[in-house]
Amino acid sequence: MYSNFISHIRKYVDLDDNSVALLFKYITPLKLKRKEFLLKEGQICQSIYFVEKGCLRMYFIDDKLNEQITQFALEHWWMADHFSFMDNKPSPYFIETIEKSEILAFTASSFEAMLRELPQMERYFRIVMQRAVAASQLRNKYTYEMSKEEFYQHFSTSFPEFVQRVPQYMIASYLGLTPQYVSELRKKKL
Amino acid sequence: MYSNFISHIRKYVDLDDNSVALLFKYITPLKLKRKEFLLKEGQICQSIYFVEKGCLRMYFIDDKLNEQITQFALEHWWMADHFSFMDNKPSPYFIETIEKSEILAFTASSFEAMLRELPQMERYFRIVMQRAVAASQLRNKYTYEMSKEEFYQHFSTSFPEFVQRVPQYMIASYLGLTPQYVSELRKKKL
DNA sequence: CTCATTTCTTAAACCAGCTTAATTTTTTTG
DNA sequence: CAAAAAAATTAAGCTGGTTTAAGAAATGAG
């Protein structure tokens, strides 16, 4: 049960079977169809979400009424608007399933209670968050050094699973490109 | 002693005076002049650095041999190349003082040992890292929704202390602008 | 207080990537 | 399986921000 979740935790900390049982008490499992929402603009991000199976996107509506995608999450990635989650502020984001998905949610209060009962999880999340910071340092570096064309080519060769599972216009949005430009780049490459 | 450091920790976790004394054993304090290096390209980022006083920048050399600044750190900010620090990989970055600075360093091994002796610090760093993720989500959103002109105006009104302390061409680099364009924007605003 | 270095400004030509608009292809749904 | 909706393509014209090249102003080290 929730094997992606447990194996992800055990990659970083020791967690005996007894602790796993305790941990499960704090989780809210969700089964969602395609195009269902975990968060909508104006709401507070009540939970932090682990993708056990499926795929999520986070986006906001920009001033031209486009859906601007800022993040994806595939299996064993975490998703949340952390500012909204931590400080109880209304979020500007939508979080939506791209595919039928199985999600594990910690509400803010269950998250706190779980960390108090299972201090190893404090370590797990410290490591996960530190790796997220590292990943965003790296992505940020790419935006400084690559042209948009290079950024697209780099992304699509580095993460071919996304190109398979996610519509092209969503990848364009995430990379800050117009769908027309991506189309032009693909033509060029053939 | 190290009052910025201690007050920052106590903002997020309880730490009694005895624990503070234990904590100090793991710290390496550094006094640096202007333009001294904590990290150079090709080296492994040996430590995670807390700015007790002064100012740091992180940059890499891009393909046109420009210094591309990716981060600043003022008082009570942390600075590190987290990928290099965590996975012992050579870093592409330089970390350099912009002003005379007082820095507190944890080497990777002292960091680990400290976390084992003082588990409250695991919580402190979980919170600090989670807030860093939140901050990078926000900054990232700005890059999607603002033009470069808006991004500059937003930065210089949100962080006037930087405009005071940091040369204009460094701010331009950090924001991904040419110094010429920033100069043009300033002229326009007067 | 002066020289060398660093930082900032001005201006013109240029281009990567966007906008607009129309058409085609693919996917979804009843 | 047919109609409607969603996604992808094509192409022409345009623009925000860069590049290049000087010169002017500010700063700091001796």
Side-chain angles (χ1 to χ4, degrees):
Chain A
M1 205 55 168
Y2 311 147
S3 57
N4 277 335
F5 182 53
I6 299 308
S7 72
H8 193 253
I9 295 171
R10 286 188 167 151
K11 229 166 107 172
Y12 299 113
V13 297
D14 291 329
L15 200 71
D16 59 37
D17 292 348
N18 186 46
S19 300
V20 168
L22 291 175
L23 180 60
F24 280 176
K25 292 187 310 182
Y26 298 100
I27 293 173
T28 309
L30 302 168
K31 292 211 178 232
L32 300 174
K33 289 181 292 198
R34 192 165 167 268
K35 295 198 181 187
E36 289 200 278
F37 289 92
L38 289 167
L39 173 67
K40 290 187 180 181
E41 183 183 12
Q43 297 176 344
I44 288 164
C45 184
Q46 298 291 355
S47 298
I48 183 170
Y49 301 103
F50 182 87
V51 182
E52 177 64 26
K53 183 145 193 340
C55 182
L56 302 178
R57 65 173 178 144
M58 174 183 261
Y59 67 89
F60 67 95
I61 307 293
D62 70 14
D63 48 4
K64 287 161 201 150
L65 306 181
N66 294 317
E67 296 175 356
Q68 252 305 338
I69 298 174
T70 60
Q71 283 180 59
F72 293 115
L74 297 181
E75 284 79 12
H76 68 69
W77 293 29
W78 286 93
M79 177 70 96
D81 175 350
H82 289 282
F83 255 133
S84 177
F85 178 75
M86 288 189 299
D87 296 352
N88 268 269
K89 297 249 181 66
S91 175
Y93 298 107
F94 298 79
I95 300 177
E96 189 192 16
T97 54
I98 295 179
E99 307 168 353
K100 190 172 77 161
S101 299
E102 293 173 36
I103 304 297
L104 306 180
F106 285 99
T107 63
S109 57
S110 72
F111 188 62
E112 261 312 306
M114 175 274 291
L115 292 171
R116 300 295 180 179
E117 183 164 7
L118 296 162
Q120 316 97 294
M121 290 301 286
E122 200 77 80
R123 180 173 175 84
Y124 166 74
F125 279 103
R126 193 267 300 164
I127 294 169
V128 164
M129 293 297 160
Q130 195 167 356
R131 302 199 85 85
V133 170
S136 81
Q137 283 184 322
L138 186 60
R139 182 185 196 271
N140 191 233
K141 179 167 184 281
Y142 290 150
T143 67
Y144 282 106
E145 69 190 336
M146 292 182 192
S147 69
K148 296 205 158 182
E149 175 166 5
E150 289 168 325
F151 198 44
Y152 171 76
Q153 301 298 356
H154 177 83
F155 180 85
S156 57
T157 56
S158 301
F159 305 100
E161 74 271 31
F162 273 95
V163 182
Q164 300 299 317
R165 288 170 72 173
V166 175
Q168 189 172 301
Y169 79 95
M170 288 193 188
I171 290 172
S173 172
Y174 173 68
L175 297 176
L177 311 173
T178 58
Q180 293 87 328
Y181 189 52
V182 168
S183 186
E184 190 182 307
L185 292 177
R186 294 184 75 226
K187 183 173 59 168
K188 205 161 135 183
K189 204 62 190 292
L190 300 183
Chain B
M1 206 55 169
Y2 311 146
S3 58
N4 277 335
F5 182 52
I6 299 308
S7 73
H8 194 254
I9 295 171
R10 287 188 166 152
K11 231 167 106 171
Y12 299 112
V13 297
D14 291 328
L15 200 71
D16 60 35
D17 292 348
N18 187 46
S19 299
V20 168
L22 291 175
L23 181 60
F24 280 176
K25 292 187 310 186
Y26 297 100
I27 294 172
T28 310
L30 302 167
K31 292 211 179 233
L32 300 173
K33 289 181 291 194
R34 193 167 166 270
K35 296 198 180 189
E36 289 199 278
F37 288 92
L38 289 167
L39 173 66
K40 289 185 180 180
E41 183 183 11
Q43 297 175 345
I44 289 165
C45 184
Q46 297 290 354
S47 298
I48 183 168
Y49 301 103
F50 181 86
V51 181
E52 177 64 26
K53 185 148 192 338
C55 183
L56 303 177
R57 65 174 177 143
M58 174 182 260
Y59 66 90
F60 68 95
I61 306 294
D62 69 16
D63 48 5
K64 288 160 200 152
L65 305 181
N66 293 320
E67 296 175 356
Q68 253 305 339
I69 298 174
T70 60
Q71 282 180 59
F72 293 115
L74 297 181
E75 284 78 12
H76 67 69
W77 293 29
W78 287 94
M79 176 72 97
D81 175 350
H82 289 283
F83 255 132
S84 177
F85 179 74
M86 288 188 301
D87 297 351
N88 269 272
K89 297 247 181 66
S91 176
Y93 298 107
F94 298 80
I95 300 177
E96 189 193 17
T97 54
I98 295 179
E99 307 168 354
K100 189 172 78 160
S101 300
E102 292 173 36
I103 304 297
L104 306 180
F106 284 99
T107 63
S109 57
S110 71
F111 187 63
E112 261 311 307
M114 178 274 290
L115 292 171
R116 301 294 180 180
E117 182 164 7
L118 296 163
Q120 316 97 293
M121 291 300 287
E122 201 76 81
R123 179 173 176 85
Y124 166 74
F125 279 103
R126 193 266 301 164
I127 294 170
V128 164
M129 292 299 160
Q130 195 167 356
R131 300 200 84 86
V133 170
S136 81
Q137 284 183 322
L138 185 61
R139 183 184 194 274
N140 191 234
K141 178 166 184 282
Y142 291 150
T143 66
Y144 282 106
E145 68 189 337
M146 291 181 193
S147 69
K148 296 205 160 183
E149 175 166 6
E150 289 168 327
F151 198 44
Y152 171 77
Q153 300 299 357
H154 178 83
F155 180 86
S156 56
T157 57
S158 302
F159 305 100
E161 75 270 31
F162 272 95
V163 183
Q164 300 298 317
R165 289 169 72 173
V166 175
Q168 189 172 301
Y169 79 95
M170 287 192 188
I171 291 173
S173 172
Y174 173 67
L175 296 176
L177 311 173
T178 58
Q180 293 87 326
Y181 188 54
V182 167
S183 187
E184 191 181 305
L185 292 176
R186 293 183 76 226
K187 183 172 59 165
K188 204 160 134 183
K189 203 63 190 289
L190 300 181

